[in-house]
Amino acid sequence: MHKRKTRRRRVTLAIAMGAVAAGGLAVLPITALADTTSGTAGATSSTRQQDFASAAAGYHVPSSVLLGLAYQESAWDSHGAQASADGGYGPMHLTDVTPAMMASGDAGAVGRSDLKSMAANPALHTLQAAAKLTGLPEDALRKDPAANIRGGAALLASYEKQVAGSVPSDAAQWYGAVARYSQSPQKQDAAGFANRVYATIRGGAGVTTKDGQRVRLDAAPAVRPATAQVDRLHLKTAAATDTECPPAVPCTFVPGSPAGLQVSNRPANGIKIDTIVIHDLEGTYDSGVAGLANPSNSVSTNYVMRSSDGAVTQMVPTKDIAFHAGNYSSNLHSIGIEHEGYAAQGATWYTEAQYESTAYLVQYLAHRFGIPLDRQHILGHDDVAGPSLSGVLAQHWDPGPSWDWDHFMRLLGAPLSGLRGTAPVGSVVTIDPAFDTNLQTVQVCPIDDPTGATTACTDRKQASNFVFLRTAPDASAPLFGDQAIHGTAAGTNKISDWGSTAQTGQQFVVADQQGDWTAIWFSGAKVWFYNPGGQNTKQAYGVKIISAAGSTPVAVYGSSYPDASEYPAGLGASTQAPISGYSLPAGQAYVATQPPNATVDYFKSSGTVVTGAKTQYTIQYNHRVALVYSGDVTATPVTKHWEDGGAKR
């Protein structure tokens, strides 16, 4: 492996906190979006820029409109002719969904009863419509980015003729066609998509794509879109609801299953909301919403995010407790956001509309509840603690290695900071490989269970948000095996085997250095990952190093409940025990990013909140977080950059 030189990607949207842009566009409530994601190493090309210009001229579409729309659909990437979660191809996200496609490979949809009806939806066959308009073969529209762009331009022009009767040169007059291109059946959703496209047009964008294409859209702040055109589409208007969404996010409310939630009054009743959890549905948006609304469903979520246009369905009010994370103690303090998609499907790519809409929503929630915008408070389901050893094993591993945490944190205005370089022993590092060029080989199986025997598995190299962890500083050394998954056995490279990986944004204490390899304390062991010149890490400070207060190992927990003696009479005490097989040994050190929190429990029947006297630190224990009692450990602040071979504390 060699250190790779990466290009930089920059996006600026002209938006400001709490304001409404001219032309009626909704805007981010907190910070402007700024993105500097790395692109593909090596030579770059302007071919795709020329393809957009040619298609725009050929179908009389203003180039700014075509570029702005394509950015929201794909960030101008071709995605290697792979389909998105809802069957979209290429820079223009032309859709072609069939039951066979959805049921094949590792999509996770095998056996679904709704595949035939879902595949019959005309909104999922825009590729065929584009083929008829252009005369180009359908296979070319799937595989050739230039053909795909021409197909998208032809389709958009056909929508504009339906809306306006002509193809005007004024970019502002294409708002209705852009809204139509979203394929959204509801007016609010279609308008929300068009608003984000025009925010991109007004603010501009510049990207070097994953396949080395330089594409740029110059800012046009004077564009005032004709937003009233959306009325010409005669779309359904969702009933007015008391949704909790920022103005930029089209949002409707569908009640989640009563069996999957507890009515509460967070945070007014003293239950702190301090975490947002990112999930994927392992299915489609429509089937996910329907399933979560089923009264017999014992799980729920606060929000569900659609891939094609970033539309949102809220299902549980934020004041209430949604059962989304497989751990009641975690659910008590968190908000869950589900995304259309499949964790094991390497071909799945999240649209820019989905990333940006989620960023708007997370910023809004973080601002409202005082949640820090960092990876210790914005978690994936695969980062959430399990309440016991069996609970850890049962925890889900979504949104998976294809969720680009670096890109998402930049959209939040909270990029992972710190300098790169070889980290001294005892310092704290943030895991941060460059997503696009961090190609890891994972094994994908039809039945993706890290502990079960499977057949017909295949190895796949893909851009990833993690580094593999080994038992020695050698590429041939066994992978580390998490105790909950493997006991004392080695780990695997199965895509679902989260235990042998450290993920972007997670923070650890450096235990050793040997050549190009860095060791960290992880799950009670010293593990190694390839890190030449510190290319996969950044230095971290403003955290606390947590270590055992005495000479004996410290118990590690997956939940945070008061002691039994602290519960009022008549209320049954929740019980917890240390996670078997996990401990914080003396001499090791882990990272906490916030002060210790009091133990808490809640009783729906009476609305009683029980707060204990003891406090616990949340630490990055392995790929998942865990908890330790503050009385069992010492906490040493890391307040400055490390220099000259040692951490300054």
Side-chain angles (χ1 to χ4, degrees), residues 48 52 55 61 65-79 88-95 126-127 130 141 144-156 181 183 193 308 349 351:
R48 190 153 305 150
F52 276 110
V61 181
V65 173
L66 190 63
L67 285 163
L69 187 151
Y71 181 78
Q72 283 295 314
E73 293 285 19
S74 66
W76 301 325
D77 262 311
S78 67
H79 298 283
Y89 291 87
M92 300 304 299
H93 197 253
L94 298 175
T95 56
T126 61
L127 188 142
L141 293 172
D144 181 0
N148 185 274
I149 292 168
R150 292 192 70 81
L155 192 66
L156 182 63
Y181 197 97
Q183 310 302 323
F193 176 79
S308 61
W349 47 277
T351 65

Side-chain angles (χ1 to χ4, degrees), residues 41-341:
T44 59
S45 169
S46 60
T47 299
R48 190 153 305 150
Q49 183 90 52
Q50 297 165 10
D51 291 340
F52 276 110
S54 175
Y59 290 95
H60 307 289
V61 181
S63 61
S64 62
V65 173
L66 190 63
L67 285 163
L69 187 151
Y71 181 78
Q72 283 295 314
E73 293 285 19
S74 66
W76 301 325
D77 262 311
S78 67
H79 298 283
Q82 294 176 327
S84 72
D86 52 357
Y89 291 87
M92 300 304 299
H93 197 253
L94 298 175
T95 56
D96 180 23
V97 175
T98 66
M101 184 199 78
M102 294 304 297
S104 66
D106 308 292
V110 177
R112 291 199 58 89
S113 61
D114 64 345
L115 292 183
K116 186 175 181 179
S117 60
M118 182 185 72
N121 184 349
L124 299 180
H125 295 286
T126 61
L127 188 142
Q128 282 73 21
K132 291 179 180 179
L133 289 167
T134 61
L136 295 171
E138 292 180 11
D139 201 46
L141 293 172
R142 293 186 192 93
K143 298 178 180 179
D144 181 0
N148 185 274
I149 292 168
R150 292 192 70 81
L155 192 66
L156 182 63
S158 73
Y159 294 157
E160 179 67 8
K161 291 174 184 176
Q162 294 171 17
V163 170
S166 63
V167 282
S169 60
D170 183 359
Q173 297 302 314
W174 286 70
Y175 184 91
V178 170
R180 173 72 179 84
Y181 197 97
S182 73
Q183 310 302 323
S184 301
Q186 290 188 338
K187 177 180 176 180
Q188 295 95 321
D189 299 346
F193 176 79
N195 288 344
R196 285 192 295 278
V197 169
Y198 275 89
T200 303
I201 294 170
R202 289 168 57 81
V207 164
T208 297
T209 67
K210 295 178 178 67
D211 53 352
Q213 294 291 324
R214 296 191 307 272
V215 185
R216 179 179 179 82
L217 169 60
D218 291 331
V223 172
R224 299 292 188 271
T227 56
Q229 287 183 351
V230 72
D231 293 333
R232 302 178 190 177
L233 303 179
H234 304 293
L235 301 174
K236 297 178 182 178
T237 300
T241 58
D242 294 327
T243 56
E244 300 168 278
C245 294
V249 176
C251 196
T252 56
F253 189 89
V254 174
S257 167
L261 61 91
Q262 284 184 333
V263 175
S264 185
N265 191 27
R266 305 182 304 171
N269 61 2
I271 298 175
K272 183 179 181 182
I273 300 174
D274 59 13
T275 307
I276 297 171
V277 181
I278 302 296
H279 304 256
D280 78 54
L281 284 166
E282 292 301 299
T284 64
Y285 178 83
D286 290 339
S287 64
V289 171
L292 290 165
N294 188 323
S296 65
N297 201 331
S298 61
V299 299
S300 62
T301 190
N302 298 95
Y303 299 92
V304 181
M305 181 73 64
R306 188 157 61 200
S307 176
S308 61
D309 58 3
V312 172
T313 293
Q314 184 176 5
M315 305 197 73
V316 177
T318 58
K319 71 178 183 64
D320 297 334
I321 301 162
F323 299 162
H324 63 94
N327 184 334
Y328 181 77
S329 192
S330 297
N331 293 335
L332 201 60
H333 301 286
S334 64
I335 292 170
I337 305 175
E338 290 278 357
H339 291 75
E340 183 176 37

Side-chain angles (χ1 to χ4, degrees), residues 460-508:
R460 185 172 67 208
K461 181 178 285 189
Q462 61 182 46
S464 301
N465 61 18
F466 69 87
V467 293
F468 276 119
L469 303 173
R470 299 189 179 274
T471 55
D474 190 309
S476 63
L479 290 169
F480 174 77
D482 184 85
Q483 299 92 314
I485 303 174
H486 299 288
T488 59
T492 72
N493 72 333
K494 287 185 179 180
I495 193 170
S496 57
D497 194 349
W498 50 265
S500 59
T501 64
Q503 194 178 68
T504 296
Q506 295 176 337
Q507 296 178 323
F508 300 97

Side-chain angles (χ1 to χ4, degrees), residues 560-563 566-567 597-601 609-615:
S560 181
Y561 300 124
D563 291 347
E566 296 177 304
Y567 285 79
N597 288 317
T599 56
V600 175
D601 205 352
V609 177
V610 181
T611 303
K614 294 180 180 178
T615 60

